Amino acid sequence: MDILRFITAGSVDDGKSTLIGRLLYDSKSIMIDHLEAIEKQSKNKDDGEIDLALLTDGLRAEREQGITIDVAYKYFSTPKRKFIIADAPGHIQYTRNMVTGASNSDLAIILVDARHGVIEQTRRHSIITSLLNIPHVIIAINKMDLVEYSQDVYNNIVIDYAKVAETLGLKDITYIPISALNGDNIVDKSDKYPWYEGRSLLDILETVELANDINYNDPRFPVQYVIRPQTEELHDYRGYAGKVISGVYKVGDKVVVQPAGIESTISTIEIAGKEVAEAFAPQSAILHLKDKIDISRGDIIVNKNNQPRVENELEVLLCWMANKPLVVGSKYLLQINSRVVRAVIKDIEYKLNVNSLEKEPAPDQASLNDIIKATIKTASPIPFDSYKKLRVNGGAILIDETSNVTVGACMIQ
Amino acid sequence: MSLQRLDYLEQLESESIHIFREVAGQFERPALLFSGGKDSIVMVHLALKAFRPGKFPFPLVHIDTGHNFQEALDFRDNMAKSIGEKLIVRNVEDTIKAKNLTEQKGKFASRNALQTFTLLDTIEEFKFDACIGGARRDEEKARAKERIFSVRDEFGQWDPKLQRPELWNTYNGKINKGENVRVFPISNWTELDIWNYIRREKIELPSIYFSHDREVLEYQGQYIATSKFIQIDPTDKISVKKVRYRTVGDMTCTAAVESSASTLDDIITEIIATKTSERGETRIDDRVSEAAMEDRKKNGYF
């Protein structure tokens, strides 16, 4: 049994919350007391039906306004898999929330309203899915009950969307006709779609192949913390604690510590107190090196024959997440895994229209939810990989040094 | 390559260890909140995996309401001793006296709200900049929206609408003076994950988690242990039942579950079959209103 993290992209109007509610409800992941609570609220709404959307709206303001403001995480499991849903709002003013939810997702469910087909919002959600490099995509064509379960409607949307997917280079796309409201094809296949030969949504979620998503080729180990007990019996103990974010490490591997570029050899690997011969992603481990060298938090231990780029000028696609605009020339802290350095925005090359993918002329500043291509200069070289190649070592956040708030997400090119 | 993929518990464990080490790497004076309840015991277990053979880079801290189960307190003390880590206990009782606070009245007068005062005072006393807690997102819907690194202002308040975006596995622990961060390493675990992990790792728990005979008072379908902390009325229905605890909080607001489950296997079987959520079945304090937890968190509660 493993874990699948997925994001649902869509708005309340697309039936996103209903879909999540349906998944939880039909997979029997909702507890009676939670159900009673929403039943009580649903009754206030006169229509008598249980409003499954209420299950996902966690904050008072959200329930009052009937909208999703923030990313909520929901959990359910079946005998095959544990699922973590990042439930993010879908409107354009919440692009940053979708980017946040997408950053950790293995899969995106993009909801399309069967009556409206592929619209601007569908493109935006797909663009974000592609920018954040989510490996698997499900296009859930919802509200099929409102188009009389028409195979033609479904087919036309599939043909339309395939063009979008091709432009964006999205791979591994699965299409599925559903009615979240009625539960069609969510947990069980519905007999109202005799023409649909695929599987139910849950069936797909349970079987999506995740093994190939983990990179075992490019060893990257950001050091988080140095363990030095300094007791008598462990006088010389010096362990580098961190997580293998990708690749494999073996005792005897020739390694390089970046950004300093110092070479050494792995002498011991420990996992949870036991010595092991190898550690692989995404294990947390302690590495020991043969040579006494100065390594601290923020350094990254990599294989000598497979190194990241170490540079101080980065081309990034950047999603701006703060109300205060980003201005060219402003300084921020840039954090990539455990490394934090000062950085300055040197230049904006273009602004990406997230609805059309068009590159708009370079503005001199970026506003909340804008996605821009920018050049960032860092105070010292940082080790990184391109986000497209290695998601776990190509994403960085920008922090406003005066407010300490996370203001930007960078996908390094 | 003959690599095994990590299974879900190993993935969760690795993620939690990573978070623990981020706290150690980013903060000057962190603390691990430890009550002797199952989630905080799992947290200590994870911290051992994150930092041994080194010492914890933080003390264990317990805010004792004075209404705790003796079994949990004994377990707390023994565990701190056996792993050789520092335990700091601060008592709500002392805060009540020092600040002349008004205690709740009524049948199940709870110190749950007052506990926040002691917590904030303790943070102030030791200048803690990060408090690591065992809250999980599956517990309650306000918690479902909370970040793993959750910034609190100098009054300990949580502003759900002003949360920092949290991307990838990159945690921003930068704070201003006076602020602190609440960190939740087991955010992504569910109740069942915790129990399965306890079973796999053979983690010891206080005896009250297993079936035992206890004198209880039946109240609105829930069983509450009789104790000097609750008001017992002549009309109350009191009996001895075979019960276990699914969560361990204050004796005034934690209900027992009628059960004969005496092993982890039995408990896990019951939890898989249950139709009621952990907090719904065992906590009286969440029943106040739809937004009870959200309101308490805004005021500095964990």
Side-chain angles (χ1 to χ4, degrees):
Chain A
M1 187 163 148
D2 58 3
I3 303 179
L4 174 77
R5 295 171 199 250
F6 68 93
I7 183 169
T8 45
S11 63
V12 178
D13 326 326
D14 302 322
K16 174 180 63 87
S17 296
T18 310
L19 172 73
I20 296 172
R22 179 58 70 185
L23 268 174
L24 299 173
Y25 186 75
D26 289 354
S27 65
K28 303 189 174 49
S29 310
I30 297 175
M31 297 297 182
I32 282 181
D33 49 318
H34 292 162
L35 202 59
E36 280 171 354
I38 65 161
E39 269 173 351
K40 214 158 74 189
Q41 287 176 287
S42 304
K43 274 175 200 144
N44 302 337
K45 291 183 141 191
D46 306 332
D47 52 12
E49 295 254 321
I50 296 178
D51 184 355
L52 290 170
L54 287 171
L55 271 175
T56 56
D57 295 332
L59 303 173
R60 192 198 297 266
E62 294 176 323
R63 288 191 294 277
E64 283 166 3
Q65 298 167 36
I67 52 161
T68 313
I69 295 170
D70 207 336
V71 188
Y73 294 90
K74 292 279 159 193
Y75 302 83
F76 72 104
S77 48
T78 68
K80 291 185 183 143
R81 230 168 219 170
K82 172 184 167 91
F83 298 95
I84 302 179
I85 312 175
D87 176 18
H91 292 292
I92 189 153
Q93 68 266 37
Y94 297 114
T95 295
R96 69 169 195 155
N97 305 69
M98 185 179 161
V99 168
T100 302
S103 73
N104 275 328
S105 294
D106 306 307
L107 179 147
I109 299 180
I110 297 174
L111 276 154
V112 177
D113 188 323
R115 295 169 303 173
H116 306 139
V118 175
I119 55 170
E120 186 177 274
Q121 178 174 269
T122 319
R123 279 191 203 94
R124 183 170 71 249
H125 294 160
S126 305
I127 287 169
I128 295 171
T129 299
S130 118
L131 285 178
L132 273 293
N133 233 11
I134 302 179
H136 311 277
V137 182
I138 293 176
I139 303 300
I141 299 164
N142 191 24
K143 307 197 183 181
M144 287 300 294
D145 51 320
L146 301 182
V147 294
E148 289 154 7
Y149 311 101
S150 158
Q151 184 178 10
D152 287 347
V153 170
Y154 172 82
N155 282 342
N156 285 333
I157 293 174
V158 171
I159 291 165
D160 270 1
Y161 190 82
K163 291 177 209 148
V164 175
E166 203 190 329
T167 330
L168 294 174
L170 290 174
K171 290 174 213 93
D172 192 29
I173 300 168
T174 311
Y175 298 90
I176 176 167
I178 62 167
S179 161
L181 195 64
N182 300 333
D184 295 351
N185 295 335
I186 306 293
V187 168
D188 298 308
K189 276 197 73 176
S190 161
D191 54 17
K192 296 188 192 105
Y193 308 72
W195 45 267
Y196 173 64
E197 289 172 354
R199 295 171 299 152
S200 75
L201 179 62
L202 185 64
D203 196 358
I204 297 166
L205 292 174
E206 281 180 323
T207 50
V208 168
E209 183 64 66
L210 297 176
N212 302 327
D213 297 344
I214 295 183
N215 174 315
Y216 292 119
N217 301 319
D218 306 299
R220 302 286 182 263
F221 185 88
V223 175
Q224 297 180 267
Y225 184 72
V226 182
I227 295 178
R228 296 196 59 193
Q230 291 175 304
T231 54
E232 228 161 85
E233 67 267 33
L234 293 167
H235 195 268
D236 291 326
Y237 186 101
R238 195 183 177 91
Y240 304 108
K243 189 162 116 178
V244 182
I245 57 172
S246 62
V248 185
Y249 288 82
K250 290 190 173 70
V251 173
D253 278 356
K254 298 263 180 263
V255 292
V256 179
V257 182
Q258 293 291 10
I262 306 166
E263 295 185 15
S264 189
T265 306
I266 295 180
S267 58
T268 316
I269 303 174
E270 285 176 89
I271 290 177
K274 287 192 196 86
E275 281 195 24
V276 294
E278 64 174 30
F280 56 89
Q283 284 180 317
S284 284
I286 296 174
L287 301 186
H288 296 261
L289 302 184
K290 276 209 173 110
D291 308 279
K292 274 194 180 169
I293 44 180
D294 183 26
I295 298 178
S296 50
R297 176 178 168 80
D299 291 337
I300 185 166
I301 301 175
V302 299
N303 194 293
K304 195 185 165 193
N305 302 318
N306 181 332
Q307 300 211 29
R309 286 153 66 190
V310 184
E311 294 163 21
N312 66 354
E313 198 162 286
L314 320 171
E315 299 281 309
V316 302
L317 276 170
L318 189 159
C319 174
W320 191 245
M321 301 183 146
N323 288 315
K324 201 165 85 180
L326 167 148
V327 183
V328 171
S330 301
K331 294 189 178 69
Y332 300 95
L333 293 175
L334 180 139
Q335 182 177 355
I336 175 164
N337 290 310
S338 56
R339 186 163 200 86
V340 181
V341 292
R342 288 218 157 66
V344 59
I345 311 292
K346 270 187 68 181
D347 180 44
I348 300 178
E349 197 179 313
Y350 59 81
K351 180 181 154 182
L352 193 70
N353 182 324
V354 286
N355 294 325
S356 67
L357 206 61
E358 270 165 41
K359 294 171 183 170
E360 294 175 353
D364 51 8
Q365 61 175 53
S367 320
L368 178 64
N369 295 313
D370 280 353
I371 293 180
I372 55 166
K373 171 87 183 292
T375 310
I376 295 179
K377 190 162 190 240
T378 55
S380 58
I382 59 162
F384 66 91
D385 293 275
S386 84
Y387 188 83
K388 272 258 181 287
K389 173 189 161 197
L390 195 56
R391 205 176 169 191
V392 288
N393 199 38
I397 59 169
L398 291 180
I399 301 166
D400 180 324
E401 236 182 315
T402 56
S403 66
N404 292 322
V405 172
T406 304
V407 289
C410 307
M411 279 72 70
I412 306 176
Q413 300 300 289
Chain B
M1 213 176 298
S2 63
L3 287 169
Q4 267 194 307
R5 256 169 72 73
L6 298 188
D7 80 356
Y8 77 110
L9 287 176
E10 290 165 330
Q11 284 183 49
L12 290 171
E13 179 190 68
S14 181
E15 176 183 271
S16 301
I17 291 172
H18 177 256
I19 295 164
F20 265 110
R21 289 169 172 171
E22 280 304 291
V23 176
Q26 293 196 38
F27 296 92
E28 298 286 324
R29 302 171 77 89
L32 172 57
L33 296 190
F34 178 60
S35 62
K38 68 176 192 316
D39 295 318
S40 70
I41 292 169
V42 166
M43 296 272 288
V44 169
H45 188 83
L46 292 165
L48 288 167
K49 292 202 177 197
F51 301 112
R52 285 293 185 258
K55 296 281 274 185
F56 288 1
F58 39 70
L60 309 177
V61 172
H62 186 219
I63 305 303
D64 188 346
T65 56
H67 290 172
N68 285 290
F69 289 89
Q70 193 56 45
E71 292 92 333
L73 295 179
D74 293 344
F75 194 94
R76 173 197 75 186
D77 294 343
N78 290 335
M79 185 158 194
K81 212 160 140 193
S82 76
I83 60 171
E85 296 289 346
K86 187 176 173 192
L87 171 68
I88 296 169
V89 178
R90 287 293 175 270
N91 298 296
V92 174
E93 185 78 42
D94 296 337
T95 318
I96 293 172
K97 282 187 187 137
K99 300 206 158 161
N100 203 11
L101 301 177
T102 308
E103 291 219 52
Q104 219 180 58
K105 293 191 180 57
K107 194 167 182 58
F108 302 109
S110 163
R111 285 181 170 172
N112 204 300
L114 297 182
Q115 174 179 332
T116 303
F117 289 86
T118 316
L119 173 64
L120 297 182
D121 285 353
T122 311
I123 290 172
E124 177 73 31
E125 180 187 349
F126 294 95
K127 305 277 176 255
F128 291 137
D129 50 6
C131 292
I132 312 165
R136 308 188 319 263
R137 285 181 180 143
D138 77 319
E139 281 179 78
E140 209 280 335
K141 54 181 178 279
R143 286 197 160 148
K145 304 231 158 174
E146 190 157 18
R147 303 292 183 260
I148 289 174
F149 273 38
S150 180
V151 180
R152 304 302 177 94
D153 67 13
E154 52 189 319
F155 301 100
Q157 299 178 106
W158 179 56
D159 186 344
K161 287 189 203 158
L162 275 183
Q163 297 195 82
R164 294 177 181 175
E166 200 164 69
L167 294 106
W168 302 293
N169 299 307
T170 309
Y171 303 103
N172 170 8
K174 295 251 175 317
I175 46 170
N176 293 310
K177 218 177 159 50
E179 291 175 339
N180 64 83
V181 176
R182 306 285 169 88
V183 180
F184 304 107
I186 55 169
S187 287
N188 285 326
W189 299 50
T190 62
E191 182 193 18
L192 189 58
D193 297 336
I194 292 283
W195 282 107
N196 280 324
Y197 188 72
I198 288 170
R199 174 165 64 179
R200 175 188 290 190
E201 298 285 308
K202 302 188 174 63
I203 297 172
E204 269 189 63
L205 293 181
S207 56
I208 53 173
Y209 282 107
F210 301 93
S211 177
H212 58 283
D213 289 327
R214 188 176 286 268
E215 189 182 270
V216 292
L217 181 160
E218 200 178 329
Y219 182 78
Q220 294 184 354
Q222 291 186 306
Y223 294 120
I224 295 124
T226 55
S227 70
K228 60 183 177 197
F229 310 124
I230 64 170
Q231 184 185 310
I232 297 170
D233 301 307
T235 50
D236 282 340
K237 207 178 141 198
I238 292 174
S239 58
V240 173
K241 297 271 181 201
K242 249 194 183 344
V243 296
R244 65 175 169 84
Y245 281 88
R246 194 168 158 193
T247 67
V248 170
D250 278 5
M251 294 190 78
T252 55
C253 61
T254 311
V257 182
E258 195 165 17
S259 163
S260 58
S262 57
T263 64
L264 287 173
D265 286 342
D266 296 346
I267 291 173
I268 288 169
T269 309
E270 284 192 5
I271 289 185
I272 291 170
T274 189
K275 298 268 182 285
T276 319
S277 78
E278 191 179 38
R279 293 195 81 88
E281 185 168 53
T282 67
R283 292 300 171 99
I284 313 184
D285 45 331
D286 279 351
R287 295 189 157 190
V288 186
S289 84
E290 181 60 27
M293 175 66 86
E294 184 180 340
D295 292 341
R296 273 184 290 149
K297 283 183 98 69
K298 282 181 181 165
N299 291 328
Y301 185 77
F302 237 85

